[in-house]
Amino acid sequence: MENVIENIKELKTKKSAIILVHNYQRPEIQDIADYIGDSLGLSKKASELTCKLIIFCGVKFMAESAKILSPQKKVILPNKQAGCQMADMVTVDELKQLKSKHPDAAVVCYVNTNADVKAECDVCCTSANAVKVVQNIEAKKIIFVPDKNLANYVQRFTDKEIIPYNGYCYVHEKITPEDVKQARQIHKEAVIIVHPECRKEVIDLVVAERKSCSGGTDEVLSTDGMIRYAKSSNAKKIIVGTEEGILYRLKKENPDKLFYTLGPARMCKNMKLTTLSDVYFALLEEQYEIEIDEQIKDRAKRALDKMLDYT
Ligand code: CIZ
Ligand code: SF4
């Protein structure tokens, strides 16, 4: 392992490349990151950097977003198989059908969509800014794709009509209300933070019985929100309801605090595909390069830019 890491560092310097790593990646991948974060933060970072080569350790829609926001750079996804099941749940044809049923609705798409679907949308959002985007958009009726759970979460904050799609994240879907009840019994002094991709019943339970203890309060947060929360709150014990990869970063950055998964550790198999040897070959052979049709790229960029204007 030492050798691979040395080789990665050497190649990275030689090629002036930057390695961007998502919060859910394997620990050894997080350890070689130049920047670590959520999809939005990393894409913004990609567009600010002056380097020409970006190795994006995450899943395809994230590397695509980075490419769309910085088209002049070469963006590499080290493992070609790293897709997202939620993103693949909605196709352009399915979205077009939904649009024709609701011609007066605006379309908001979660960043967890493929580039061709983004191109059909008015504005993108992430879990960190979905509420803000929906509140800022003029339309009173909004088609929201693909995550039904995030759509339901957003509906709590607006009188606008949200038309959800039937997508979901299979990892967050596994977290149950029973997990919340048990965790509250086992860790009486801990606060609970959950991701808005969790099922409505899970979020209902966390919000309805929201508890404050030892300087923290139960919250619904995006992954970067969780990272900020862990740093700034006084809570010493935190139960985390999202993909388990984030616990490595939480523990590393907050060695004085205790973190537990909400129920058994739930793992996204796509997020765990990327290995150190994938990163090495990604640097060596500059594969697999993200390529997006020009027209799709321009239209998808409009939706991403609009999100950045709104937030
Ligand atoms: O936007 C992201 O990076 C994802 C998938 C989750 C989050 O909340 O950060
Ligand atoms: Fe997709 Fe869920 Fe995996 Fe994120 S955790 S990449 S939303 S399947």
Side-chain angles (χ1 to χ4, degrees), residues 19-23 30 33-38 42 224 249 253:
I19 301 178
L20 301 181
V21 175
H22 189 267
N23 290 324
Q30 295 192 24
D34 289 303
Y35 298 97
I36 178 164
D38 67 0
L42 293 175
D224 271 9
R249 180 170 177 203
E253 293 182 2

Side-chain angles (χ1 to χ4, degrees), residues 176-189:
T176 64
E178 202 45 48
D179 291 331
V180 177
K181 287 180 200 156
Q182 279 188 7
R184 279 185 167 147
Q185 273 188 347
I186 300 169
H187 305 290
K188 293 215 164 47
E189 282 126 61

Side-chain angles (χ1 to χ4, degrees), residues 70-301:
S70 38
Q72 71 291 357
K73 293 179 185 128
K74 195 169 188 177
V75 178
I76 306 290
L77 183 69
N79 190 308
K80 205 162 61 175
Q81 309 301 327
C84 165
Q85 295 187 3
M86 185 207 284
D88 292 339
M89 283 178 185
V90 61
T91 63
V92 169
D93 283 350
E94 286 162 338
L95 178 54
K96 279 186 174 164
Q97 274 180 32
L98 195 57
K99 280 164 81 168
S100 67
K101 263 202 219 161
H102 304 280
D104 52 337
V107 184
V108 175
C109 73
Y110 192 20
V111 71
N112 299 37
T113 41
N114 294 311
D116 56 348
V117 170
K118 282 193 181 72
E120 294 297 323
C121 296
D122 296 305
V123 52
C124 285
C125 71
T126 68
S127 48
N129 61 24
V131 172
K132 234 186 201 170
V133 166
V134 166
Q135 284 171 341
N136 276 317
I137 203 168
E138 266 179 39
K140 295 275 176 282
K141 195 170 167 184
I142 295 162
I143 294 171
F144 192 103
V145 291
D147 187 8
K148 62 176 178 185
N149 293 319
L150 186 60
N152 277 326
Y153 179 68
V154 168
Q155 185 71 80
R156 292 168 194 261
F157 300 88
T158 178
D159 292 334
K160 294 177 184 181
E161 184 189 354
I162 309 280
I163 302 156
Y165 192 76
N166 200 25
Y168 59 89
C169 165
Y170 82 99
V171 183
H172 290 86
E173 197 74 4
K174 287 181 185 160
I175 301 174
T176 64
E178 202 45 48
D179 291 331
V180 177
K181 287 180 200 156
Q182 279 188 7
R184 279 185 167 147
Q185 273 188 347
I186 300 169
H187 305 290
K188 293 215 164 47
E189 282 126 61
V191 290
I192 299 187
I193 51 178
V194 290
H195 195 276
E197 284 177 25
C198 287
R199 288 155 53 172
K200 187 174 179 297
E201 311 86 83
V202 168
I203 293 179
D204 278 345
L205 201 51
V206 171
V207 173
E209 293 169 25
R210 184 172 257 150
K211 180 178 83 236
S212 294
C213 66
S214 56
T217 307
D218 296 347
E219 297 287 354
V220 183
L221 296 165
S222 67
T223 61
D224 271 9
M226 290 177 175
I227 299 290
R228 282 191 297 273
Y229 176 95
K231 248 187 218 144
S232 63
S233 96
N234 290 324
K236 289 274 178 269
K237 291 184 182 177
I238 304 177
I239 301 164
V240 184
T242 192
E243 209 275 347
E244 61 86 46
I246 197 171
L247 271 89
Y248 178 71
R249 180 170 177 203
L250 287 169
K251 288 175 183 170
K252 192 171 163 182
E253 293 182 2
N254 305 278
D256 56 327
K257 297 183 180 178
L258 294 171
F259 298 91
Y260 310 92
T261 58
L262 179 54
R266 265 73 181 216
M267 213 180 258
C268 170
K269 62 178 184 215
N270 290 307
M271 277 290 178
K272 300 297 189 266
L273 283 176
T274 306
T275 61
L276 284 175
S277 62
D278 287 337
V279 177
Y280 172 70
F281 285 110
L283 279 161
L284 186 71
E285 292 168 8
E286 299 186 16
Q287 65 179 16
Y288 299 90
E289 185 177 358
I290 298 288
E291 283 170 303
I292 307 170
D293 172 272
E294 284 304 318
Q295 275 197 348
I296 288 179
K297 199 164 27 184
D298 288 349
R299 288 163 60 218
K301 187 168 186 306

